[in-house]
Amino acid sequence: MRLQFTLLLACCVTLAGPIAGAGSPGTIDELRQSFTVGGEPVPPNVFRDMGDGDLADSGSIIVTIDVKAATGSNLYADPIKRNGAWVAQRRASPGDKGLTEEEAYRYIGVTANKLLILITSYSGGGSGVFYSLHILTAEPARAFDGEGKPYERLNLTTIRSVALGDRWNGEVRIDGNAVVVKTTGGIPAGHARKPSTMTIEAERP
């Protein structure tokens, strides 16, 4: 009887192990709380690649990035600096080494329905600094590496981006599942922007 109980307990422990670790809730919780992975900030340049740096197209082409792989990678190895609530990353412009690109973000927080809200800014090295509001999902996923071994991804997907304009200035806050954007200044097309407030529903498609 004791042997049967021991075997049953061992089976329960074996089955419980993969289930507990399958979703990596700690990683998701960390990202939602502080927008970091393993204590390191998500590289701002992921937002350059997710559309901020593509000023020629009306919509994003790359919409999902594995931030678990991106954080600490060679691809996003340019120095990251914090400036108050903003996290910024610079690199020499590929098209003109005399110019310096800068991508930055400010993490606002998470909505009641677990969507992540950020404000980003992108400069290609000229006078323009273009701001955007990003609404994103963060989901764990499993895949195989080059050797066929399973590993975990943490996919960050932008489900909506709202252009706020050149040299935007204002405040953003979360109210349940709504994002309230209060604009206090900016220079669209060379003209001073009038103060305004808009409310955007953060919802999954």
Side-chain angles (χ1 to χ4, degrees):
M1 182 68 180
R2 181 177 297 178
L3 178 60
Q4 290 178 339
F5 177 77
T6 303
L7 290 173
L8 178 61
L9 181 61
C11 289
C12 291
V13 171
T14 302
L15 289 173
I19 294 173
S24 294
T27 305
I28 290 284
D29 289 345
E30 179 190 354
L31 188 67
R32 288 172 175 166
Q33 181 176 355
S34 59
F35 209 66
T36 59
V37 176
E40 297 296 326
V42 172
N45 279 339
V46 302
F47 292 103
R48 177 202 66 214
D49 292 342
M50 292 173 76
D52 283 8
D54 181 9
L55 302 178
D57 293 299
S58 58
S60 300
I61 296 173
I62 299 173
V63 296
T64 299
I65 285 182
D66 177 4
V67 292
K68 192 172 183 179
T71 304
S73 68
N74 291 325
L75 181 61
Y76 296 109
D78 297 297
I80 297 174
K81 294 184 178 180
R82 289 187 178 272
N83 183 13
W86 287 85
V87 181
Q89 195 168 26
R90 290 184 174 186
R91 70 166 190 173
S93 173
D96 186 344
K97 297 299 182 181
L99 297 177
T100 300
E101 292 183 344
E102 180 176 274
E103 177 77 38
Y105 65 75
R106 179 181 179 182
Y107 182 55
I108 305 301
V110 62
T111 61
N113 57 355
K114 305 300 183 184
L115 296 178
L116 285 67
I117 308 298
L118 291 96
I119 296 293
T120 64
S121 68
Y122 171 78
S123 170
S127 60
V129 182
F130 302 96
Y131 287 78
S132 299
L133 169 74
H134 287 273
I135 302 175
L136 308 110
T137 63
E139 302 290 346
R142 292 181 66 81
F144 294 101
D145 64 15
E147 298 178 352
K149 298 178 181 179
Y151 75 100
E152 286 197 355
R153 293 174 174 171
L154 182 53
N155 289 339
L156 186 71
T157 300
T158 178
I159 58 174
R160 185 174 181 182
S161 297
V162 179
L164 299 178
D166 183 13
R167 283 162 280 184
W168 173 86
N169 192 23
E171 301 173 357
V172 176
R173 64 180 177 86
I174 297 171
D175 184 7
N177 290 327
V179 182
V180 181
V181 181
K182 183 178 181 181
T183 297
T184 57
I187 312 177
H191 300 286
R193 179 180 292 141
K194 295 180 180 180
S196 63
T197 300
M198 66 175 172
T199 300
I200 300 170
E201 289 298 322
E203 56 186 1
R204 299 173 188 269

